[in-house]
Amino acid sequence: MRIYLPATWPMLARTVSTGSFEPLGGTAFALTPKLRESYVAGDDEELEYAAMSEAARASLRLLAVEFGLGETGTPARRVVVAADTDDVTLRPDLDDGAVRLTGPVPVAKIAAVHVDLPEAEHAVREAAAAVDKADLGDLDAEFLVGEAEDHELAWYAPSELAFLVELGS
């Protein structure tokens, strides 16, 4: 199963140094039966994109925490790690596409890394500050989050992970 793991730049750096990705709280997103049911139409590719988008929104939440803790050196870019594993359980108590992993994901199971380009940083920083209010229905905050989500995530191969981390340092 293809899963999408929300991340931040420091999490990518730890992945490079340890050889495995440690998902916060074991949470990831995937094309689950519940996610499939929540869409009236769409092929698997479109629904996979929806799961990745949920992970990107979760990355904003992770960035909000890091920025709130004063981590000013963290690049303001959403990060989503795509991996292939069947070692997941469904999380019907969370979002439609939420799954839980039982442990870290080895780098060998990473299929791709998706990150914002530098030109998205201003919008992502604004969105990270507003994501909680957006989740509660604040229209101005939803607009700010939408501005960040208008930026497409760039795709990187797993072999480019160390280079990508160095580039963002």
Side-chain angles (χ1 to χ4, degrees):
M1 166 183 283
R2 175 66 48 95
I3 61 170
Y4 300 93
L5 301 143
T8 62
W9 220 269
M11 294 171 79
L12 283 184
R14 278 191 298 281
T15 300
V16 169
S17 66
T18 64
S20 64
F21 181 86
E22 186 72 47
L24 190 62
T27 300
F29 298 87
L31 175 48
T32 64
K34 189 174 177 183
L35 181 66
R36 187 180 301 282
E37 288 173 13
S38 68
Y39 282 83
V40 199
D43 61 17
D44 282 358
E45 187 176 327
E46 291 169 316
L47 297 175
E48 290 276 347
Y49 186 81
M52 186 175 80
S53 296
E54 287 188 28
R57 172 79 61 114
S59 177
L60 279 178
R61 292 184 188 99
L62 294 175
L63 285 169
V65 171
E66 287 192 13
F67 297 154
L69 294 173
E71 299 293 333
T72 56
T74 299
R77 298 195 216 169
R78 296 168 298 158
V79 177
V80 176
V81 175
D84 295 313
T85 183
D86 290 325
D87 197 17
V88 300
T89 55
L90 299 178
R91 290 292 313 267
D93 56 318
L94 293 178
D95 292 339
D96 292 340
V99 296
R100 180 174 306 278
L101 290 133
T102 58
V105 177
V107 169
K109 291 191 175 194
I110 293 176
V113 178
H114 305 272
V115 299
D116 277 310
L117 295 174
E119 53 266 17
E121 286 191 15
H122 176 74
V124 169
R125 188 170 298 281
E126 295 288 314
V131 69
D132 288 338
K133 288 180 181 177
D135 288 344
L136 295 172
D138 182 298
L139 295 178
D140 292 332
E142 286 179 25
F143 176 79
L144 291 173
V145 170
E147 288 287 306
E149 291 175 342
D150 284 344
H151 291 271
E152 289 293 323
L153 299 174
W155 179 94
Y156 293 89
S159 62
E160 297 175 294
L161 187 56
F163 172 73
L164 182 62
V165 167
E166 178 136 344
L167 191 66
S169 300

mmCIF file of all heavy atoms in Angstrom, residues 25 40 44 54 66 68 71 79 84 99 106 129 132 135 148 153 155-156 158 166:
data_model
loop_
_atom_site.group_PDB
_atom_site.id
_atom_site.type_symbol
_atom_site.label_atom_id
_atom_site.label_comp_id
_atom_site.label_asym_id
_atom_site.label_seq_id
_atom_site.Cartn_x
_atom_site.Cartn_y
_atom_site.Cartn_z
ATOM 1 N N GLY A 25 3.760 10.067 15.917
ATOM 2 C CA GLY A 25 2.537 9.378 16.342
ATOM 3 C C GLY A 25 2.167 8.201 15.470
ATOM 4 O O GLY A 25 1.070 7.662 15.592
ATOM 5 N N VAL A 40 -17.386 10.818 -4.624
ATOM 6 C CA VAL A 40 -18.413 10.303 -5.517
ATOM 7 C C VAL A 40 -17.773 9.725 -6.777
ATOM 8 O O VAL A 40 -18.235 8.746 -7.329
ATOM 9 C CB VAL A 40 -19.410 11.410 -5.927
ATOM 10 C CG1 VAL A 40 -20.688 10.804 -6.448
ATOM 11 C CG2 VAL A 40 -19.697 12.355 -4.803
ATOM 12 N N ASP A 44 -8.087 5.849 -9.027
ATOM 13 C CA ASP A 44 -7.120 5.638 -7.954
ATOM 14 C C ASP A 44 -6.071 6.746 -7.896
ATOM 15 O O ASP A 44 -5.679 7.171 -6.811
ATOM 16 C CB ASP A 44 -6.432 4.274 -8.105
ATOM 17 C CG ASP A 44 -7.315 3.132 -7.636
ATOM 18 O OD1 ASP A 44 -8.443 3.394 -7.163
ATOM 19 O OD2 ASP A 44 -6.869 1.973 -7.743
ATOM 20 N N GLU A 54 -3.916 15.327 2.116
ATOM 21 C CA GLU A 54 -4.169 15.269 3.554
ATOM 22 C C GLU A 54 -2.847 15.252 4.317
ATOM 23 O O GLU A 54 -2.714 15.894 5.361
ATOM 24 C CB GLU A 54 -5.010 14.040 3.909
ATOM 25 C CG GLU A 54 -6.462 14.160 3.501
ATOM 26 C CD GLU A 54 -7.323 13.018 4.020
ATOM 27 O OE1 GLU A 54 -6.995 12.438 5.085
ATOM 28 O OE2 GLU A 54 -8.325 12.698 3.365
ATOM 29 N N GLU A 66 6.572 23.405 15.112
ATOM 30 C CA GLU A 66 7.992 23.767 15.098
ATOM 31 C C GLU A 66 8.179 25.278 15.171
ATOM 32 O O GLU A 66 9.009 25.769 15.931
ATOM 33 C CB GLU A 66 8.681 23.186 13.868
ATOM 34 C CG GLU A 66 8.861 21.691 13.986
ATOM 35 C CD GLU A 66 9.782 21.089 12.948
ATOM 36 O OE1 GLU A 66 10.489 21.829 12.252
ATOM 37 O OE2 GLU A 66 9.783 19.861 12.852
ATOM 38 N N GLY A 68 6.074 27.409 16.381
ATOM 39 C CA GLY A 68 5.617 27.817 17.705
ATOM 40 C C GLY A 68 6.657 27.577 18.788
ATOM 41 O O GLY A 68 6.670 28.260 19.810
ATOM 42 N N GLU A 71 11.572 27.272 16.326
ATOM 43 C CA GLU A 71 12.497 26.645 15.376
ATOM 44 C C GLU A 71 12.560 27.485 14.102
ATOM 45 O O GLU A 71 12.012 27.119 13.067
ATOM 46 C CB GLU A 71 12.057 25.209 15.056
ATOM 47 C CG GLU A 71 12.021 24.284 16.254
ATOM 48 C CD GLU A 71 13.406 24.017 16.833
ATOM 49 O OE1 GLU A 71 14.404 24.085 16.092
ATOM 50 O OE2 GLU A 71 13.478 23.753 18.037
ATOM 51 N N VAL A 79 6.413 18.967 3.575
ATOM 52 C CA VAL A 79 7.151 17.778 3.168
ATOM 53 C C VAL A 79 6.227 16.579 3.318
ATOM 54 O O VAL A 79 5.585 16.410 4.353
ATOM 55 C CB VAL A 79 8.413 17.570 4.048
ATOM 56 C CG1 VAL A 79 9.131 16.286 3.654
ATOM 57 C CG2 VAL A 79 9.347 18.770 3.959
ATOM 58 N N ASP A 84 6.005 2.638 0.483
ATOM 59 C CA ASP A 84 5.200 1.452 0.204
ATOM 60 C C ASP A 84 5.371 0.452 1.336
ATOM 61 O O ASP A 84 6.476 -0.049 1.578
ATOM 62 C CB ASP A 84 5.621 0.823 -1.129
ATOM 63 C CG ASP A 84 5.324 1.730 -2.303
ATOM 64 O OD1 ASP A 84 4.200 2.257 -2.361
ATOM 65 O OD2 ASP A 84 6.209 1.925 -3.154
ATOM 66 N N VAL A 99 -4.098 6.400 8.492
ATOM 67 C CA VAL A 99 -3.664 5.061 8.897
ATOM 68 C C VAL A 99 -2.588 5.212 9.971
ATOM 69 O O VAL A 99 -2.007 6.274 10.134
ATOM 70 C CB VAL A 99 -3.112 4.228 7.709
ATOM 71 C CG1 VAL A 99 -4.198 3.962 6.668
ATOM 72 C CG2 VAL A 99 -1.916 4.904 7.060
ATOM 73 N N PRO A 106 11.778 2.072 6.854
ATOM 74 C CA PRO A 106 13.153 2.070 6.339
ATOM 75 C C PRO A 106 13.245 2.858 5.027
ATOM 76 O O PRO A 106 12.297 2.885 4.241
ATOM 77 C CB PRO A 106 13.452 0.589 6.084
ATOM 78 C CG PRO A 106 12.351 -0.172 6.724
ATOM 79 C CD PRO A 106 11.197 0.748 6.907
ATOM 80 N N ALA A 129 0.648 29.196 10.353
ATOM 81 C CA ALA A 129 0.134 30.015 11.453
ATOM 82 C C ALA A 129 -1.395 30.008 11.504
ATOM 83 O O ALA A 129 -1.986 30.293 12.550
ATOM 84 C CB ALA A 129 0.650 31.448 11.321
ATOM 85 N N ASP A 132 -4.847 25.844 12.198
ATOM 86 C CA ASP A 132 -5.805 25.459 13.235
ATOM 87 C C ASP A 132 -7.107 26.246 13.109
ATOM 88 O O ASP A 132 -8.194 25.672 13.218
ATOM 89 C CB ASP A 132 -5.207 25.662 14.628
ATOM 90 C CG ASP A 132 -4.136 24.630 14.956
ATOM 91 O OD1 ASP A 132 -4.127 23.550 14.332
ATOM 92 O OD2 ASP A 132 -3.304 24.910 15.841
ATOM 93 N N ASP A 135 -9.098 24.901 10.223
ATOM 94 C CA ASP A 135 -9.793 23.655 10.576
ATOM 95 C C ASP A 135 -11.078 23.919 11.351
ATOM 96 O O ASP A 135 -12.009 23.119 11.316
ATOM 97 C CB ASP A 135 -8.882 22.748 11.400
ATOM 98 C CG ASP A 135 -7.767 22.125 10.569
ATOM 99 O OD1 ASP A 135 -7.867 22.134 9.323
ATOM 100 O OD2 ASP A 135 -6.793 21.629 11.180
ATOM 101 N N ALA A 148 -1.292 28.347 0.230
ATOM 102 C CA ALA A 148 -0.177 27.387 0.304
ATOM 103 C C ALA A 148 -0.489 26.140 -0.523
ATOM 104 O O ALA A 148 0.377 25.629 -1.238
ATOM 105 C CB ALA A 148 0.106 27.009 1.755
ATOM 106 N N LEU A 153 3.598 20.365 -4.879
ATOM 107 C CA LEU A 153 4.805 19.816 -4.285
ATOM 108 C C LEU A 153 5.697 19.235 -5.379
ATOM 109 O O LEU A 153 5.215 18.557 -6.282
ATOM 110 C CB LEU A 153 4.457 18.731 -3.268
ATOM 111 C CG LEU A 153 3.599 19.180 -2.079
ATOM 112 C CD1 LEU A 153 3.198 17.987 -1.235
ATOM 113 C CD2 LEU A 153 4.322 20.201 -1.242
ATOM 114 N N TRP A 155 8.602 16.686 -6.812
ATOM 115 C CA TRP A 155 8.867 15.264 -6.606
ATOM 116 C C TRP A 155 10.373 15.015 -6.621
ATOM 117 O O TRP A 155 11.085 15.531 -7.488
ATOM 118 C CB TRP A 155 8.198 14.470 -7.736
ATOM 119 C CG TRP A 155 8.422 12.994 -7.665
ATOM 120 C CD1 TRP A 155 7.586 12.086 -7.077
ATOM 121 C CD2 TRP A 155 9.507 12.242 -8.217
ATOM 122 N NE1 TRP A 155 8.098 10.822 -7.225
ATOM 123 C CE2 TRP A 155 9.275 10.889 -7.923
ATOM 124 C CE3 TRP A 155 10.654 12.584 -8.924
ATOM 125 C CZ2 TRP A 155 10.146 9.881 -8.307
ATOM 126 C CZ3 TRP A 155 11.531 11.576 -9.308
ATOM 127 C CH2 TRP A 155 11.265 10.231 -8.999
ATOM 128 N N TYR A 156 10.842 14.231 -5.655
ATOM 129 C CA TYR A 156 12.245 13.827 -5.615
ATOM 130 C C TYR A 156 12.326 12.322 -5.410
ATOM 131 O O TYR A 156 11.546 11.745 -4.639
ATOM 132 C CB TYR A 156 12.996 14.536 -4.479
ATOM 133 C CG TYR A 156 13.126 16.014 -4.717
ATOM 134 C CD1 TYR A 156 12.150 16.896 -4.277
ATOM 135 C CD2 TYR A 156 14.215 16.533 -5.402
ATOM 136 C CE1 TYR A 156 12.255 18.252 -4.516
ATOM 137 C CE2 TYR A 156 14.333 17.894 -5.650
ATOM 138 C CZ TYR A 156 13.349 18.743 -5.197
ATOM 139 O OH TYR A 156 13.452 20.085 -5.437
ATOM 140 N N PRO A 158 13.982 8.800 -4.026
ATOM 141 C CA PRO A 158 14.619 8.464 -2.752
ATOM 142 C C PRO A 158 16.144 8.617 -2.794
ATOM 143 O O PRO A 158 16.751 9.000 -1.793
ATOM 144 C CB PRO A 158 14.235 7.009 -2.519
ATOM 145 C CG PRO A 158 13.057 6.763 -3.381
ATOM 146 C CD PRO A 158 13.148 7.711 -4.524
ATOM 147 N N GLU A 166 20.617 18.428 2.223
ATOM 148 C CA GLU A 166 21.738 19.373 2.170
ATOM 149 C C GLU A 166 21.312 20.680 1.501
ATOM 150 O O GLU A 166 21.711 21.758 1.932
ATOM 151 C CB GLU A 166 22.920 18.761 1.421
ATOM 152 C CG GLU A 166 24.049 19.721 1.303
ATOM 153 C CD GLU A 166 25.379 19.093 1.593
ATOM 154 O OE1 GLU A 166 25.420 18.003 2.166
ATOM 155 O OE2 GLU A 166 26.365 19.709 1.214
#
